[in-house]
């Protein structure tokens, strides 16, 4: 029996929406998709850092479409404004449909549940969970109409198990993983992929001036490369969950 092969997905000219994309993992993801020829639409809170990132990427990939606008998507109104802006921008260069959504925006603040600052849970839930929830709900109807799309949610090893000083951060990431699993089941009939990415320690601003000369923790590009590889899989294949840890394991 002959088996028809559809092949991998070509990412060139795809519209990719990435939240929290001015630095760290988000910037690495934007870089990886721009390298593939995709059009990328970015947001972050810090306007200066965000536009510096755009300038850097545009220099690296002059033929790429790279657009950005600052939003603090801890606020629902800003989430919706970001989604609307991105769709309008995408319409200038094609269909206006967002093909790939990467819910990367998030913050980490250490603490223990019993003594962390009042309001920390609400702050982390708003940024790490609600932003993904509201942005997905805004973007996904057009994906359903198109019967295609891929949503990546950047979770964490903190989504998978408790650890000391994790507190509300871990709670928010547990919730994001639960959101991802429910979303995956709901969108199966519409041919929309959902992938939950759970990275361990990645060299980013959260680690301050950590000395990684011995390559103890991962590079942000490691996560970005795996996301792009997953996005390229044939339409009938999906990576549901991805756990990526430093080769020597998590730091104590």
């Amino acid at each position: 029996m002959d088996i028809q092969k559809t092949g991998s997905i070509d990412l060139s000219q795809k519209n990719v929406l990435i939240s929290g994309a001015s630095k760290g993992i988000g910037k690495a993801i934007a870089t990886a998709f721009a390298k593939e020829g995709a059009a990328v639409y970015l947001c972050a809170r810090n306007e200066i850092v965000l536009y510096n990132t755009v300038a850097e990427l545009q220099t690296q990939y002059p033929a790429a479409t790279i657009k950005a606008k600052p939003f603090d998507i801890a606020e629902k109104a800003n989430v919706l404004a970001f989604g609307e802006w991105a769709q309008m921008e995408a319409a200038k260069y094609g269909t206006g449909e967002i093909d790939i959504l990467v819910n990367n925006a998030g913050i980490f603040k250490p603490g223990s549940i019993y003594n962390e600052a009042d309001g920390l849970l609400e702050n982390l839930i708003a940024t790490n969970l609600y932003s993904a929830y509201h942005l997905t709900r805004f973007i996904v109807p057009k994906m359903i109409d198109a019967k295609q799309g891929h949503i990546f949610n950047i979770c964490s090893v903190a989504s998978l198990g408790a650890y000391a000083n994790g507190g509300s951060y871990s709670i928010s990431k547990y919730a994001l993983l639960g959101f991802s699993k429910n979303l995956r089941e709901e969108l199966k009939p519409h041919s929309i992929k959902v992938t939950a990415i759970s990275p361990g320690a990645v060299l980013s601003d959260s680690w301050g001036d950590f000395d990684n000369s011995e390559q103890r923790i991962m590079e942000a590009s490691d996560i970005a490369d795996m996301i792009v590889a997953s996005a390229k899989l044939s339409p009938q294949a999906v990576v549901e969950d991805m756990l990526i840890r430093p080769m020597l394991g998590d730091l104590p």
Side-chain angles (χ1 to χ4, degrees):
M1 183 178 72
D2 292 335
I3 298 177
Q4 184 178 5
K5 295 184 178 180
T6 55
S8 62
I9 293 174
D10 180 6
L11 297 180
S12 65
Q13 307 309 311
K14 291 287 187 181
N15 289 317
V16 184
L17 187 60
I18 308 170
S19 65
S22 64
K23 53 189 177 181
I25 293 175
K27 180 180 177 181
I29 296 169
T31 302
F33 276 110
K35 184 178 180 180
E36 292 290 325
V40 295
Y41 304 92
L42 318 174
C43 85
R45 290 175 296 173
N46 189 305
E47 180 176 2
I48 294 174
V49 177
L50 178 62
Y51 288 139
N52 284 342
T53 293
V54 172
E56 181 181 334
L57 292 181
Q58 204 70 80
T59 299
Q60 285 182 283
Y61 308 103
T65 297
I66 303 166
K67 301 293 180 180
K69 191 170 183 179
F71 289 100
D72 180 356
I73 60 174
E75 300 290 335
K76 179 180 178 180
N78 290 338
V79 176
L80 302 182
F82 173 48
E84 184 176 8
W85 166 82
Q87 286 185 342
M88 290 177 61
E89 286 294 314
K92 298 176 183 178
Y93 305 98
T95 62
E97 297 171 356
I98 300 301
D99 303 293
I100 298 171
L101 168 61
V102 183
N103 288 308
N104 172 71
I107 54 175
F108 169 74
K109 292 185 179 179
S112 298
I113 293 171
Y114 68 90
N115 66 0
E116 62 191 10
D118 185 44
L120 183 60
L121 177 61
E122 290 86 347
N123 178 235
L124 293 181
I125 288 289
T127 303
N128 297 352
L129 175 65
Y130 289 165
S131 65
Y133 174 83
H134 293 307
L135 189 54
T136 299
R137 281 167 51 86
F138 185 87
I139 295 298
V140 84
K142 285 195 173 183
M143 286 185 172
I144 291 174
D145 290 342
K147 299 188 184 305
Q148 66 88 31
H150 201 151
I151 299 168
F152 291 90
N153 294 322
I154 308 302
C155 300
S156 168
V157 291
S159 303
L160 306 173
Y163 69 97
N165 220 29
S168 287
Y169 175 77
S170 188
I171 293 171
S172 70
K173 289 297 187 176
Y174 263 99
L176 185 61
L177 181 59
F179 165 69
S180 303
K181 290 182 179 297
N182 277 275
L183 191 65
R184 160 77 177 133
E185 291 303 312
E186 293 173 1
L187 296 182
K188 276 181 182 178
H190 303 288
S191 301
I192 299 170
K193 303 179 182 184
V194 178
T195 301
I197 309 290
S198 296
V202 176
L203 190 62
S204 64
D205 285 2
S206 297
W207 286 88
D209 57 356
F210 181 84
D211 180 6
N212 200 36
S213 58
E214 296 183 0
Q215 299 179 319
R216 179 60 181 85
I217 62 178
M218 299 180 290
E219 302 287 343
S221 59
D222 293 324
I223 311 305
D225 289 345
M226 295 303 293
I227 289 174
V228 166
S230 177
K232 284 184 173 182
L233 294 177
S234 64
Q236 62 267 36
V238 60
V239 176
E240 294 186 359
D241 298 281
M242 190 182 299
L243 172 61
I244 312 172
R245 280 194 167 104
M247 193 275 290
L248 294 178
D250 292 325
L251 293 177

